[in-house]
Amino acid sequence: MKIKKVLITGASITGPTLAYWLHHYGFAVTVVERASKLRLGGQNIDVKGPAWAIAQKMGLEENIRAANTTEIGIRFVNGRNQTLAEFPKENALSMTQELEILRGDLVQILYERTKNNVCYRFGDSVSNLMESENHLAVNFASGHSEDFDLLIVAEGIGSHTRQLAFSHPPNFKFLNLYTAYLTISKAATDSRWARWYNAPGGVVFILRPDNYGETRASITFFSRDEQYRDLTLAEQKKVLIDRIKGTDWESERLVKEIERTTDLYFDKVSQVKASRWSTGRVALVGDAAYCATPIAGKGTDLAMAGAYILAGELSRGNTYAEAFQAYEQRMRPYVEKCQKLPPGVPSLVYPTSRLGVGLLNSVYRLLGSGPVQWTTGLFSQKKNPEMELELPDYNQSSGSEYL
Ligand SMILES: Cc1cc2nc3c(=O)[nH]c(=O)nc-3n(C[C@H](O)[C@H](O)[C@H](O)COP(=O)(O)OP(=O)(O)OC[C@H]3O[C@@H](n4cnc5c(N)ncnc54)[C@H](O)[C@@H]3O)c2cc1C
Protein backbone atom coordinates (compact mmCIF):
# COMPACT_ATOMS: atom_id res chain seq x y z
CA MET A 1 0.00 0.00 0.00
CA LYS A 2 1.18 3.52 -0.69
CA ILE A 3 0.64 6.18 1.94
CA LYS A 4 -1.10 8.93 0.11
CA LYS A 5 -3.88 10.58 2.08
CA VAL A 6 -2.98 12.51 5.20
CA LEU A 7 -5.38 14.38 7.46
CA ILE A 8 -3.95 17.25 9.52
CA THR A 9 -6.05 18.83 12.26
CA GLY A 10 -5.31 22.48 13.12
CA ALA A 11 -4.52 25.38 10.77
CA SER A 12 -2.23 27.61 12.81
CA ILE A 13 1.56 27.46 12.33
CA THR A 14 2.33 23.76 12.59
CA GLY A 15 -0.54 22.44 10.44
CA PRO A 16 0.06 24.52 7.28
CA THR A 17 3.86 24.07 7.52
CA LEU A 18 3.38 20.32 7.66
CA ALA A 19 0.83 20.49 4.83
CA TYR A 20 3.33 22.38 2.67
CA TRP A 21 6.06 19.78 3.10
CA LEU A 22 3.79 16.75 2.78
CA HIS A 23 2.39 18.14 -0.46
CA HIS A 24 5.95 18.85 -1.60
CA TYR A 25 6.76 15.15 -1.14
CA GLY A 26 3.68 14.00 -3.04
CA PHE A 27 1.07 13.34 -0.35
CA ALA A 28 -2.58 14.33 -0.71
CA VAL A 29 -3.30 16.56 2.26
CA THR A 30 -6.49 17.72 3.96
CA VAL A 31 -6.35 20.24 6.81
CA VAL A 32 -9.35 20.51 9.10
CA GLU A 33 -9.59 23.55 11.37
CA ARG A 34 -12.18 23.71 14.13
CA ALA A 35 -12.61 27.49 13.94
CA SER A 36 -14.77 28.86 11.14
CA LYS A 37 -11.80 30.81 9.74
CA LEU A 38 -8.09 31.25 10.42
CA ARG A 39 -7.42 32.45 13.96
CA LEU A 40 -5.21 35.47 13.45
CA GLY A 41 -4.91 36.82 17.00
CA GLY A 42 -1.84 36.96 19.19
CA GLN A 43 1.25 39.02 19.67
CA ASN A 44 4.60 39.20 17.94
CA ILE A 45 6.58 36.07 17.36
CA ASP A 46 10.11 35.92 16.05
CA VAL A 47 11.16 33.80 13.12
CA LYS A 48 14.71 32.75 13.82
CA GLY A 49 16.89 29.64 14.02
CA PRO A 50 15.26 26.54 12.52
CA ALA A 51 12.01 28.41 11.79
CA TRP A 52 13.88 30.93 9.64
CA ALA A 53 15.87 28.20 7.87
CA ILE A 54 12.62 26.35 7.06
CA ALA A 55 10.82 29.54 5.99
CA GLN A 56 13.70 30.19 3.58
CA LYS A 57 13.40 26.67 2.17
CA MET A 58 9.68 27.42 1.63
CA GLY A 59 10.51 30.65 -0.22
CA LEU A 60 8.84 32.85 2.40
CA GLU A 61 11.71 35.24 3.18
CA GLU A 62 10.26 38.25 1.41
CA ASN A 63 6.74 37.73 2.79
CA ILE A 64 8.09 37.55 6.34
CA ARG A 65 10.37 40.57 5.96
CA ALA A 66 7.51 42.58 4.45
CA ALA A 67 5.29 41.81 7.45
CA ASN A 68 7.80 43.06 10.04
CA THR A 69 6.04 44.64 13.01
CA THR A 70 8.52 47.57 13.00
CA GLU A 71 9.12 47.22 16.75
CA ILE A 72 12.49 48.73 17.61
CA GLY A 73 13.11 47.30 21.06
CA ILE A 74 11.64 46.91 24.52
CA ARG A 75 11.38 49.28 27.47
CA PHE A 76 10.78 48.20 31.05
CA VAL A 77 8.70 50.90 32.70
CA ASN A 78 7.42 51.77 36.17
CA GLY A 79 3.88 52.69 37.23
CA ARG A 80 4.43 56.30 36.10
CA ASN A 81 5.50 55.01 32.68
CA GLN A 82 9.09 56.09 33.25
CA THR A 83 11.64 53.93 31.49
CA LEU A 84 13.73 51.84 33.88
CA ALA A 85 15.74 50.15 31.16
CA GLU A 86 15.57 49.88 27.41
CA PHE A 87 16.95 47.23 25.09
CA PRO A 88 17.02 48.08 21.39
CA LYS A 89 16.59 45.10 19.12
CA GLU A 90 20.32 44.92 18.36
CA ASN A 91 21.00 44.19 22.04
CA ALA A 92 21.53 40.59 23.08
CA LEU A 93 19.05 41.02 25.96
CA SER A 94 16.23 42.42 23.84
CA MET A 95 13.01 40.47 23.39
CA THR A 96 12.65 42.13 19.97
CA GLN A 97 14.30 40.11 17.23
CA GLU A 98 15.42 40.93 13.72
CA LEU A 99 12.48 39.12 12.08
CA GLU A 100 9.57 40.07 14.29
CA ILE A 101 6.16 39.27 12.80
CA LEU A 102 2.63 39.04 14.15
CA ARG A 103 1.60 35.47 14.78
CA GLY A 104 -1.54 36.04 12.71
CA ASP A 105 0.49 37.34 9.76
CA LEU A 106 2.64 34.20 9.78
CA VAL A 107 -0.48 31.99 9.92
CA GLN A 108 -1.92 33.91 6.96
CA ILE A 109 1.35 33.65 4.97
CA LEU A 110 1.54 29.89 5.54
CA TYR A 111 -2.10 29.47 4.56
CA GLU A 112 -1.67 31.53 1.36
CA ARG A 113 1.39 29.45 0.46
CA THR A 114 -0.53 26.17 0.75
CA LYS A 115 -4.18 26.88 -0.01
CA ASN A 116 -4.00 25.98 -3.72
CA ASN A 117 -2.41 22.58 -3.12
CA VAL A 118 -4.05 21.49 0.09
CA CYS A 119 -7.72 20.94 0.86
CA TYR A 120 -8.67 23.19 3.83
CA ARG A 121 -11.93 22.63 5.69
CA PHE A 122 -12.93 25.16 8.34
CA GLY A 123 -15.50 24.81 11.08
CA ASP A 124 -15.07 21.07 11.50
CA SER A 125 -13.24 18.64 13.77
CA VAL A 126 -12.75 14.93 14.31
CA SER A 127 -15.51 13.33 16.37
CA ASN A 128 -14.52 9.69 16.12
CA LEU A 129 -11.64 7.53 14.86
CA MET A 130 -11.45 3.89 13.94
CA GLU A 131 -8.11 2.39 12.97
CA SER A 132 -7.86 -0.76 10.89
CA GLU A 133 -4.88 -2.54 9.37
CA ASN A 134 -5.02 -0.49 6.19
CA HIS A 135 -6.49 2.89 7.06
CA LEU A 136 -8.13 5.22 9.54
CA ALA A 137 -11.87 5.75 9.30
CA VAL A 138 -12.58 9.29 10.49
CA ASN A 139 -15.94 10.76 11.42
CA PHE A 140 -16.25 14.52 11.66
CA ALA A 141 -18.49 16.71 13.80
CA SER A 142 -20.14 17.93 10.59
CA GLY A 143 -21.36 14.40 9.85
CA HIS A 144 -18.84 13.87 7.06
CA SER A 145 -16.85 10.56 7.06
CA GLU A 146 -13.66 9.77 5.20
CA ASP A 147 -10.78 7.28 5.22
CA PHE A 148 -7.19 8.47 5.56
CA ASP A 149 -3.83 6.72 5.71
CA LEU A 150 -2.49 8.92 8.50
CA LEU A 151 -3.76 11.56 10.92
CA ILE A 152 -1.41 14.23 12.25
CA VAL A 153 -2.73 16.26 15.15
CA ALA A 154 -1.56 19.91 15.15
CA GLU A 155 -4.32 21.28 17.36
CA GLY A 156 -2.28 23.05 20.00
CA ILE A 157 -2.11 22.49 23.73
CA GLY A 158 -5.78 21.70 24.40
CA SER A 159 -6.14 19.14 21.60
CA HIS A 160 -9.31 17.07 21.69
CA THR A 161 -8.33 14.63 18.93
CA ARG A 162 -5.26 13.69 20.99
CA GLN A 163 -7.71 12.45 23.62
CA LEU A 164 -9.53 10.33 21.04
CA ALA A 165 -6.36 8.68 19.75
CA PHE A 166 -4.21 8.21 22.85
CA SER A 167 -5.25 6.09 25.79
CA HIS A 168 -3.28 8.27 28.24
CA PRO A 169 -3.23 12.07 28.25
CA PRO A 170 0.18 13.80 28.21
CA ASN A 171 1.55 15.43 31.35
CA PHE A 172 0.89 19.14 31.67
CA LYS A 173 3.42 21.15 33.64
CA PHE A 174 1.45 24.17 34.87
CA LEU A 175 3.75 27.18 35.33
CA ASN A 176 1.41 28.93 37.77
CA LEU A 177 0.63 31.54 35.14
CA TYR A 178 -2.33 32.51 32.98
CA THR A 179 -1.93 34.62 29.89
CA ALA A 180 -4.26 36.63 27.67
CA TYR A 181 -3.70 38.27 24.28
CA LEU A 182 -5.83 40.95 22.69
CA THR A 183 -5.56 43.67 20.08
CA ILE A 184 -6.25 47.18 21.36
CA SER A 185 -6.42 50.70 19.94
CA LYS A 186 -3.19 52.64 19.79
CA ALA A 187 -2.87 55.32 22.48
CA ALA A 188 -0.62 58.36 22.84
CA THR A 189 1.68 56.41 25.16
CA ASP A 190 2.33 53.72 22.52
CA SER A 191 5.28 54.01 20.17
CA ARG A 192 7.52 51.67 18.19
CA TRP A 193 8.97 50.50 21.50
CA ALA A 194 7.35 47.57 23.26
CA ARG A 195 6.63 48.33 26.92
CA TRP A 196 6.79 45.83 29.78
CA TYR A 197 5.27 46.69 33.14
CA ASN A 198 5.34 44.53 36.28
CA ALA A 199 2.30 45.43 38.38
CA PRO A 200 2.12 44.39 42.01
CA GLY A 201 0.17 41.16 42.52
CA GLY A 202 2.10 39.11 39.98
CA VAL A 203 0.66 40.76 36.86
CA VAL A 204 2.78 41.59 33.80
CA PHE A 205 1.47 43.83 31.02
CA ILE A 206 3.28 43.92 27.68
CA LEU A 207 2.13 46.33 24.99
CA ARG A 208 3.71 45.99 21.55
CA PRO A 209 3.24 47.97 18.33
CA ASP A 210 1.95 46.16 15.27
CA ASN A 211 2.18 46.96 11.57
CA TYR A 212 -1.54 47.82 11.32
CA GLY A 213 -1.50 50.93 13.54
CA GLU A 214 -2.83 49.04 16.55
CA THR A 215 -1.29 47.70 19.74
CA ARG A 216 -0.97 44.07 20.79
CA ALA A 217 -1.47 43.53 24.49
CA SER A 218 -0.58 40.58 26.63
CA ILE A 219 -1.58 40.21 30.25
CA THR A 220 0.05 37.45 32.26
CA PHE A 221 -0.72 36.80 35.90
CA PHE A 222 0.58 34.49 38.58
CA SER A 223 -1.82 32.00 40.16
CA ARG A 224 -1.10 28.75 41.90
CA ASP A 225 -4.57 27.38 41.15
CA GLU A 226 -5.51 25.64 37.94
CA GLN A 227 -9.03 26.85 38.56
CA TYR A 228 -9.79 28.62 35.29
CA ARG A 229 -10.67 26.10 32.64
CA ASP A 230 -13.36 25.78 29.97
CA LEU A 231 -14.47 29.37 30.56
CA THR A 232 -16.80 31.22 28.23
CA LEU A 233 -15.58 34.48 26.71
CA ALA A 234 -17.62 36.45 29.27
CA GLU A 235 -16.11 34.42 32.13
CA GLN A 236 -12.59 34.91 30.78
CA LYS A 237 -13.17 38.66 30.63
CA LYS A 238 -14.43 38.71 34.21
CA VAL A 239 -11.41 36.78 35.51
CA LEU A 240 -9.03 39.14 33.76
CA ILE A 241 -10.81 42.32 34.78
CA ASP A 242 -11.08 41.22 38.42
CA ARG A 243 -7.38 40.47 38.39
CA ILE A 244 -6.13 43.74 36.88
CA LYS A 245 -8.71 46.29 38.03
CA GLY A 246 -7.13 48.81 40.37
CA THR A 247 -3.57 47.90 39.49
CA ASP A 248 -1.88 51.07 38.36
CA TRP A 249 -0.21 52.06 35.05
CA GLU A 250 -2.58 51.60 32.07
CA SER A 251 -4.82 48.97 33.65
CA GLU A 252 -7.99 51.08 33.30
CA ARG A 253 -7.34 51.39 29.56
CA LEU A 254 -6.92 47.62 29.37
CA VAL A 255 -10.11 46.97 31.35
CA LYS A 256 -12.08 49.01 28.77
CA GLU A 257 -10.43 47.13 25.91
CA ILE A 258 -11.16 43.74 27.49
CA GLU A 259 -14.80 44.74 27.94
CA ARG A 260 -15.22 45.52 24.25
CA THR A 261 -13.01 42.86 22.61
CA THR A 262 -14.33 39.84 20.75
CA ASP A 263 -10.79 38.59 20.00
CA LEU A 264 -9.46 37.37 23.33
CA TYR A 265 -7.05 34.48 23.74
CA PHE A 266 -6.93 33.31 27.35
CA ASP A 267 -5.27 30.16 28.63
CA LYS A 268 -3.19 28.76 31.41
CA VAL A 269 0.51 28.57 30.70
CA SER A 270 1.53 24.91 30.70
CA GLN A 271 4.12 22.80 29.02
CA VAL A 272 3.02 19.60 27.31
CA LYS A 273 5.20 16.60 28.04
CA ALA A 274 3.98 13.54 26.16
CA SER A 275 5.82 10.27 26.72
CA ARG A 276 5.15 9.30 23.10
CA TRP A 277 4.15 11.32 20.08
CA SER A 278 2.48 8.64 18.02
CA THR A 279 0.14 5.72 18.31
CA GLY A 280 -0.72 3.57 15.32
CA ARG A 281 -1.46 5.83 12.36
CA VAL A 282 -1.77 8.99 14.46
CA ALA A 283 1.06 11.38 15.38
CA LEU A 284 1.22 14.62 17.36
CA VAL A 285 3.19 17.68 16.28
CA GLY A 286 3.71 21.24 17.54
CA ASP A 287 2.10 22.44 20.76
CA ALA A 288 -0.15 19.37 20.89
CA ALA A 289 2.95 17.23 21.43
CA TYR A 290 5.47 19.48 23.15
CA CYS A 291 4.24 22.99 23.95
CA ALA A 292 7.09 24.88 25.60
CA THR A 293 4.92 27.97 26.37
CA PRO A 294 5.41 31.52 25.04
CA ILE A 295 7.79 32.13 27.95
CA ALA A 296 10.34 29.79 26.39
CA GLY A 297 10.21 31.85 23.17
CA LYS A 298 10.57 28.75 21.00
CA GLY A 299 6.97 28.07 19.89
CA THR A 300 7.57 28.91 16.22
CA ASP A 301 10.86 27.00 16.06
CA LEU A 302 9.29 23.91 17.57
CA ALA A 303 6.19 24.15 15.40
CA MET A 304 7.99 24.58 12.09
CA ALA A 305 10.91 22.26 12.84
CA GLY A 306 8.60 19.47 14.04
CA ALA A 307 6.48 19.82 10.91
CA TYR A 308 9.51 19.86 8.61
CA ILE A 309 11.14 16.83 10.22
CA LEU A 310 7.94 14.79 10.46
CA ALA A 311 7.13 15.38 6.77
CA GLY A 312 10.73 14.67 5.81
CA GLU A 313 10.85 11.39 7.70
CA LEU A 314 7.54 10.34 6.12
CA SER A 315 9.05 11.06 2.71
CA ARG A 316 11.95 8.68 3.23
CA GLY A 317 10.04 5.59 2.18
CA ASN A 318 10.19 3.51 5.35
CA THR A 319 7.03 2.43 7.16
CA TYR A 320 4.99 5.15 8.86
CA ALA A 321 5.89 3.60 12.23
CA GLU A 322 9.61 3.96 11.43
CA ALA A 323 9.04 7.50 10.21
CA PHE A 324 7.21 8.47 13.41
CA GLN A 325 10.02 6.96 15.46
CA ALA A 326 12.73 8.78 13.49
CA TYR A 327 10.84 12.09 13.85
CA GLU A 328 10.65 11.64 17.60
CA GLN A 329 14.32 10.67 17.89
CA ARG A 330 15.43 13.76 15.99
CA MET A 331 13.11 16.22 17.72
CA ARG A 332 12.99 15.06 21.33
CA PRO A 333 16.46 16.25 22.45
CA TYR A 334 15.76 19.68 20.94
CA VAL A 335 12.33 19.84 22.60
CA GLU A 336 13.89 19.00 25.96
CA LYS A 337 16.39 21.85 25.56
CA CYS A 338 13.65 24.28 24.55
CA GLN A 339 11.44 23.31 27.49
CA LYS A 340 14.16 24.20 30.01
CA LEU A 341 13.12 27.59 31.34
CA PRO A 342 15.60 30.25 32.42
CA PRO A 343 16.28 30.36 36.18
CA GLY A 344 13.77 32.50 38.10
CA VAL A 345 10.90 31.87 35.68
CA PRO A 346 8.15 32.26 36.63
CA SER A 347 8.45 33.22 40.33
CA LEU A 348 11.11 35.95 40.08
CA VAL A 349 9.85 37.46 36.83
CA TYR A 350 6.22 37.61 38.02
CA PRO A 351 6.66 38.79 41.63
CA THR A 352 3.48 39.14 43.66
CA SER A 353 4.75 41.55 46.34
CA ARG A 354 5.68 45.23 46.00
CA LEU A 355 9.10 44.37 47.39
CA GLY A 356 9.58 41.74 44.69
CA VAL A 357 8.55 44.21 41.98
CA GLY A 358 10.97 46.79 43.42
CA LEU A 359 13.85 44.31 43.39
CA LEU A 360 13.06 43.22 39.85
CA ASN A 361 12.94 46.83 38.68
CA SER A 362 16.41 47.32 40.19
CA VAL A 363 17.63 44.35 38.16
CA TYR A 364 16.15 45.89 34.99
CA ARG A 365 17.90 49.19 35.78
CA LEU A 366 21.20 47.40 36.26
CA LEU A 367 20.86 45.35 33.07
CA GLY A 368 19.84 48.44 31.14
CA SER A 369 22.78 50.49 32.35
CA GLY A 370 25.37 51.45 29.76
CA PRO A 371 28.25 49.29 31.04
CA VAL A 372 26.13 46.15 31.39
CA GLN A 373 24.57 46.60 27.94
CA TRP A 374 28.01 47.06 26.46
CA THR A 375 29.38 43.97 28.19
CA THR A 376 26.44 41.74 27.29
CA GLY A 377 26.71 42.97 23.72
CA LEU A 378 30.30 41.80 23.67
CA PHE A 379 29.91 38.45 25.34
CA SER A 380 26.39 37.15 24.83
CA GLN A 381 25.53 36.69 21.19
CA LYS A 382 21.81 36.09 20.64
CA LYS A 383 21.38 32.33 20.84
CA ASN A 384 21.21 30.62 17.52
CA PRO A 385 19.01 27.57 17.99
CA GLU A 386 19.51 26.64 14.34
CA MET A 387 22.85 25.30 15.47
CA GLU A 388 21.12 23.06 18.02
CA LEU A 389 18.98 21.11 15.56
CA GLU A 390 20.02 19.46 12.34
CA LEU A 391 17.56 19.98 9.49
CA PRO A 392 18.34 17.23 6.96
CA ASP A 393 17.85 17.89 3.27
CA TYR A 394 15.05 15.41 2.68
CA ASN A 395 14.76 16.21 -1.02
CA GLN A 396 17.51 13.68 -1.64
CA SER A 397 15.49 10.89 -0.07
CA SER A 398 11.95 11.75 -1.11
CA GLY A 399 9.89 10.11 -3.79
CA SER A 400 9.96 6.62 -2.35
CA GLU A 401 6.81 4.68 -1.77
CA TYR A 402 5.59 3.49 1.57
CA LEU A 403 5.25 -0.09 2.63
C1 LIG B 1 -5.41 32.54 18.68
C2 LIG B 1 -4.00 32.20 19.12
C3 LIG B 1 -3.15 33.22 19.56
C4 LIG B 1 -1.84 32.91 19.96
N1 LIG B 1 -1.02 33.92 20.34
C5 LIG B 1 0.26 33.66 20.67
C6 LIG B 1 1.17 34.71 21.01
O1 LIG B 1 0.82 35.88 21.01
N2 LIG B 1 2.44 34.39 21.37
C7 LIG B 1 2.86 33.09 21.37
O2 LIG B 1 4.02 32.84 21.69
N3 LIG B 1 2.03 32.08 21.05
C8 LIG B 1 0.75 32.33 20.70
N4 LIG B 1 -0.10 31.30 20.36
C9 LIG B 1 0.42 29.92 20.39
C10 LIG B 1 1.32 29.63 19.20
O3 LIG B 1 0.61 29.74 17.99
C11 LIG B 1 1.91 28.24 19.37
O4 LIG B 1 2.63 28.18 20.59
C12 LIG B 1 2.93 27.76 18.35
O5 LIG B 1 3.03 28.54 17.24
C13 LIG B 1 2.61 26.33 17.89
O6 LIG B 1 1.46 26.35 17.14
P1 LIG B 1 0.54 25.10 16.82
O7 LIG B 1 0.15 25.28 15.38
O8 LIG B 1 1.18 23.82 17.19
O9 LIG B 1 -0.70 25.29 17.79
P2 LIG B 1 -1.70 26.52 17.95
O10 LIG B 1 -1.09 27.78 17.50
O11 LIG B 1 -2.23 26.47 19.33
O12 LIG B 1 -2.88 26.20 16.91
C14 LIG B 1 -3.76 25.11 17.00
C15 LIG B 1 -4.84 25.25 15.94
O13 LIG B 1 -5.67 24.09 15.99
C16 LIG B 1 -7.03 24.48 16.03
N5 LIG B 1 -7.77 23.44 16.73
C17 LIG B 1 -7.90 23.26 18.07
N6 LIG B 1 -8.62 22.17 18.31
C18 LIG B 1 -8.96 21.64 17.11
C19 LIG B 1 -9.70 20.49 16.71
N7 LIG B 1 -10.24 19.65 17.61
N8 LIG B 1 -9.83 20.24 15.39
C20 LIG B 1 -9.28 21.08 14.46
N9 LIG B 1 -8.58 22.19 14.79
C21 LIG B 1 -8.42 22.46 16.10
C22 LIG B 1 -7.01 25.82 16.74
O14 LIG B 1 -8.17 26.58 16.44
C23 LIG B 1 -5.74 26.45 16.16
O15 LIG B 1 -5.98 27.09 14.94
C24 LIG B 1 -1.40 31.56 19.96
C25 LIG B 1 -2.26 30.54 19.52
C26 LIG B 1 -3.54 30.85 19.10
C27 LIG B 1 -4.46 29.72 18.62
Side-chain angles (χ1 to χ4, degrees), residues 298-318:
K298 297 280 172 59
T300 315
D301 282 335
L302 288 169
M304 293 185 73
Y308 175 83
I309 288 175
L310 175 55
E313 293 300 334
L314 284 167
S315 78
R316 279 196 194 274
N318 304 319

Side-chain angles (χ1 to χ4, degrees), residues 46-60:
D46 42 21
V47 185
K48 58 184 187 321
W52 181 236
I54 293 161
Q56 285 177 306
K57 287 177 194 284
M58 295 169 75
L60 297 176

Side-chain angles (χ1 to χ4, degrees), residues 373-386:
Q373 286 222 13
W374 182 78
T375 317
T376 52
L378 275 184
F379 292 108
S380 61
Q381 295 286 317
K382 279 188 178 176
K383 271 182 97 183
N384 184 359
E386 189 183 351

Side-chain angles (χ1 to χ4, degrees), residues 9-15 32-35 39 41-45 103 124-126 154-157 159-161 181 265 285-288 291 294 299-300 303:
T9 54
S12 172
I13 293 175
T14 310
V32 169
E33 162 61 48
R34 188 178 56 185
R39 299 179 67 191
Q43 275 208 339
N44 309 20
I45 52 174
R103 174 195 165 275
D124 208 354
S125 57
V126 174
E155 292 175 8
I157 184 168
S159 168
H160 175 68
T161 310
Y181 301 113
Y265 175 89
V285 64
D287 273 12
C291 176
T300 315

